[in-house]
Amino acid sequence: MKTTLRTALLTLLLCATSVLSAQNASRWAQLEGPLTFYIANDLGRNGYYDQRPVAELMGQMAETVGPECVFAAGDVHHFDGVASTADPLWMTNYETIYAHPELMINWHPILGNHEYRGSTQAVLDYSHVSRRWQMPARYYTRSFTKKSTSIRFILLDTTPLITRYREDSDTYPDAVKQDVDRQLAWLDSTLTAAREQWVVVIGHHPVYAITGKDDSERTDLQKCLGPILRRHHVDMYVAGHIHNFQHHRAKGSDTDYVVNSSASLARPIDSKPSATPNDGLRFANGTEGFSVVTADSKQLRLSFIDKKGNIIYTISRTKK
């Protein structure tokens, strides 16, 4: 009798799991397009908090949406970066966590402030160790074309663009060594040459955000990045760092400024934000997750995915 009851309960559980999986796949199918991408950041917690379940969710969703790659927008390693390409953190923060077969695709990372606490060169050099870790430089660009759809991603190294990191050479020794003017000139020339239908710029630090973090981080980027992004009418600027989801449309700009949440440990929305009226906050949510970018020739979408796999908000841009 006990065996029969146990079997029945197991059957019900499997049926419920199957139904839930089918429901998720049905919802997630709307995220698939000619070109689909993941953006994830603020990851590395050695699998603790929600890092491992979010990683598994990314893999499960990838079975439906088929992302081209993952853009890892900084802070893959908390708290002091990595010491070398042989640092055990590569296994506990990355390789054994993002082990789902559908995540064995290219990962295009950038450096976050936590990487700058360790060896930034080791983060670049890991490209020679792991096939899927594709990081050719501190800042670089990638373009994709499929079925009459084209999109360019421009990946920045934002830590050296912020004064407080450059001045704290004890904690961030490599920041002051970087040529800020050279990176900004490269960004300007890359945007000038871009001919794709959509252009998305990714940096670890946000240009606009409501947060208790030092205001100078945003004001520095508003001064050096803001004019370039506006001049070239960039479609989206996507960042992390704040550990929650936000969408801003700043006054006088047609760029969508996105803050992507942490894929391991989120922070609540600041109850006393330092945002200015020009930040143009449209949405905020303090949960863990990642983002999915979907592009076709007519529409660019970025969808916030929470840790339960729900699509909680979507930013859409259209072309005639």
PDB file of all heavy atoms in Angstrom, residues 61-73:
ATOM      1  N   MET A  61      15.857  27.713 -20.183  1.00  0.00           N
ATOM      2  CA  MET A  61      15.241  28.641 -21.133  1.00  0.00           C
ATOM      3  C   MET A  61      15.936  28.593 -22.488  1.00  0.00           C
ATOM      4  O   MET A  61      15.294  28.729 -23.541  1.00  0.00           O
ATOM      5  CB  MET A  61      15.264  30.064 -20.575  1.00  0.00           C
ATOM      6  CG  MET A  61      14.582  31.080 -21.477  1.00  0.00           C
ATOM      7  SD  MET A  61      14.649  32.765 -20.832  1.00  0.00           S
ATOM      8  CE  MET A  61      13.486  32.637 -19.488  1.00  0.00           C
ATOM      9  N   ALA A  62      17.248  28.380 -22.468  1.00  0.00           N
ATOM     10  CA  ALA A  62      18.005  28.328 -23.720  1.00  0.00           C
ATOM     11  C   ALA A  62      17.543  27.183 -24.614  1.00  0.00           C
ATOM     12  O   ALA A  62      17.678  27.254 -25.843  1.00  0.00           O
ATOM     13  CB  ALA A  62      19.501  28.203 -23.422  1.00  0.00           C
ATOM     14  N   GLU A  63      16.975  26.123 -24.021  1.00  0.00           N
ATOM     15  CA  GLU A  63      16.440  25.029 -24.821  1.00  0.00           C
ATOM     16  C   GLU A  63      15.305  25.508 -25.721  1.00  0.00           C
ATOM     17  O   GLU A  63      15.058  24.939 -26.784  1.00  0.00           O
ATOM     18  CB  GLU A  63      15.943  23.914 -23.902  1.00  0.00           C
ATOM     19  CG  GLU A  63      17.039  23.252 -23.089  1.00  0.00           C
ATOM     20  CD  GLU A  63      16.497  22.242 -22.084  1.00  0.00           C
ATOM     21  OE1 GLU A  63      15.274  21.977 -22.119  1.00  0.00           O
ATOM     22  OE2 GLU A  63      17.278  21.721 -21.264  1.00  0.00           O
ATOM     23  N   THR A  64      14.616  26.571 -25.284  1.00  0.00           N
ATOM     24  CA  THR A  64      13.495  27.116 -26.056  1.00  0.00           C
ATOM     25  C   THR A  64      13.917  28.275 -26.943  1.00  0.00           C
ATOM     26  O   THR A  64      13.546  28.334 -28.119  1.00  0.00           O
ATOM     27  CB  THR A  64      12.373  27.592 -25.105  1.00  0.00           C
ATOM     28  OG1 THR A  64      11.894  26.480 -24.353  1.00  0.00           O
ATOM     29  CG2 THR A  64      11.224  28.217 -25.879  1.00  0.00           C
ATOM     30  N   VAL A  65      14.705  29.219 -26.404  1.00  0.00           N
ATOM     31  CA  VAL A  65      14.969  30.467 -27.142  1.00  0.00           C
ATOM     32  C   VAL A  65      16.240  30.416 -27.971  1.00  0.00           C
ATOM     33  O   VAL A  65      16.429  31.238 -28.868  1.00  0.00           O
ATOM     34  CB  VAL A  65      15.015  31.681 -26.186  1.00  0.00           C
ATOM     35  CG1 VAL A  65      13.742  31.767 -25.363  1.00  0.00           C
ATOM     36  CG2 VAL A  65      16.234  31.630 -25.267  1.00  0.00           C
ATOM     37  N   GLY A  66      17.163  29.502 -27.679  1.00  0.00           N
ATOM     38  CA  GLY A  66      18.375  29.357 -28.482  1.00  0.00           C
ATOM     39  C   GLY A  66      19.223  30.607 -28.599  1.00  0.00           C
ATOM     40  O   GLY A  66      19.431  31.121 -29.706  1.00  0.00           O
ATOM     41  N   PRO A  67      19.760  31.139 -27.493  1.00  0.00           N
ATOM     42  CA  PRO A  67      20.573  32.358 -27.586  1.00  0.00           C
ATOM     43  C   PRO A  67      21.836  32.154 -28.405  1.00  0.00           C
ATOM     44  O   PRO A  67      22.427  31.074 -28.398  1.00  0.00           O
ATOM     45  CB  PRO A  67      20.909  32.663 -26.112  1.00  0.00           C
ATOM     46  CG  PRO A  67      20.837  31.332 -25.421  1.00  0.00           C
ATOM     47  CD  PRO A  67      19.731  30.595 -26.112  1.00  0.00           C
ATOM     48  N   GLU A  68      22.231  33.212 -29.098  1.00  0.00           N
ATOM     49  CA  GLU A  68      23.475  33.176 -29.868  1.00  0.00           C
ATOM     50  C   GLU A  68      24.691  33.114 -28.944  1.00  0.00           C
ATOM     51  O   GLU A  68      25.688  32.462 -29.249  1.00  0.00           O
ATOM     52  CB  GLU A  68      23.584  34.429 -30.755  1.00  0.00           C
ATOM     53  CG  GLU A  68      22.450  34.619 -31.735  1.00  0.00           C
ATOM     54  CD  GLU A  68      22.497  33.639 -32.882  1.00  0.00           C
ATOM     55  OE1 GLU A  68      23.619  33.281 -33.311  1.00  0.00           O
ATOM     56  OE2 GLU A  68      21.413  33.220 -33.344  1.00  0.00           O
ATOM     57  N   CYS A  69      24.609  33.838 -27.836  1.00  0.00           N
ATOM     58  CA  CYS A  69      25.732  33.933 -26.911  1.00  0.00           C
ATOM     59  C   CYS A  69      25.238  34.540 -25.606  1.00  0.00           C
ATOM     60  O   CYS A  69      24.073  34.944 -25.490  1.00  0.00           O
ATOM     61  CB  CYS A  69      26.859  34.793 -27.499  1.00  0.00           C
ATOM     62  SG  CYS A  69      26.397  36.519 -27.767  1.00  0.00           S
ATOM     63  N   VAL A  70      26.134  34.609 -24.636  1.00  0.00           N
ATOM     64  CA  VAL A  70      25.871  35.286 -23.371  1.00  0.00           C
ATOM     65  C   VAL A  70      26.828  36.463 -23.253  1.00  0.00           C
ATOM     66  O   VAL A  70      28.039  36.302 -23.392  1.00  0.00           O
ATOM     67  CB  VAL A  70      26.089  34.344 -22.159  1.00  0.00           C
ATOM     68  CG1 VAL A  70      25.825  35.097 -20.855  1.00  0.00           C
ATOM     69  CG2 VAL A  70      25.218  33.100 -22.261  1.00  0.00           C
ATOM     70  N   PHE A  71      26.279  37.653 -23.014  1.00  0.00           N
ATOM     71  CA  PHE A  71      27.102  38.815 -22.693  1.00  0.00           C
ATOM     72  C   PHE A  71      27.178  38.906 -21.173  1.00  0.00           C
ATOM     73  O   PHE A  71      26.163  39.094 -20.505  1.00  0.00           O
ATOM     74  CB  PHE A  71      26.511  40.089 -23.285  1.00  0.00           C
ATOM     75  CG  PHE A  71      26.587  40.132 -24.788  1.00  0.00           C
ATOM     76  CD1 PHE A  71      25.469  39.877 -25.562  1.00  0.00           C
ATOM     77  CD2 PHE A  71      27.786  40.403 -25.419  1.00  0.00           C
ATOM     78  CE1 PHE A  71      25.536  39.894 -26.939  1.00  0.00           C
ATOM     79  CE2 PHE A  71      27.872  40.429 -26.807  1.00  0.00           C
ATOM     80  CZ  PHE A  71      26.745  40.167 -27.578  1.00  0.00           C
ATOM     81  N   ALA A  72      28.379  38.726 -20.635  1.00  0.00           N
ATOM     82  CA  ALA A  72      28.589  38.764 -19.183  1.00  0.00           C
ATOM     83  C   ALA A  72      29.079  40.160 -18.817  1.00  0.00           C
ATOM     84  O   ALA A  72      30.247  40.497 -19.008  1.00  0.00           O
ATOM     85  CB  ALA A  72      29.604  37.709 -18.765  1.00  0.00           C
ATOM     86  N   ALA A  73      28.165  40.970 -18.272  1.00  0.00           N
ATOM     87  CA  ALA A  73      28.419  42.408 -18.101  1.00  0.00           C
ATOM     88  C   ALA A  73      29.118  42.739 -16.783  1.00  0.00           C
ATOM     89  O   ALA A  73      28.724  43.652 -16.063  1.00  0.00           O
ATOM     90  CB  ALA A  73      27.115  43.187 -18.235  1.00  0.00           C
TER      91      ALA A  73
END
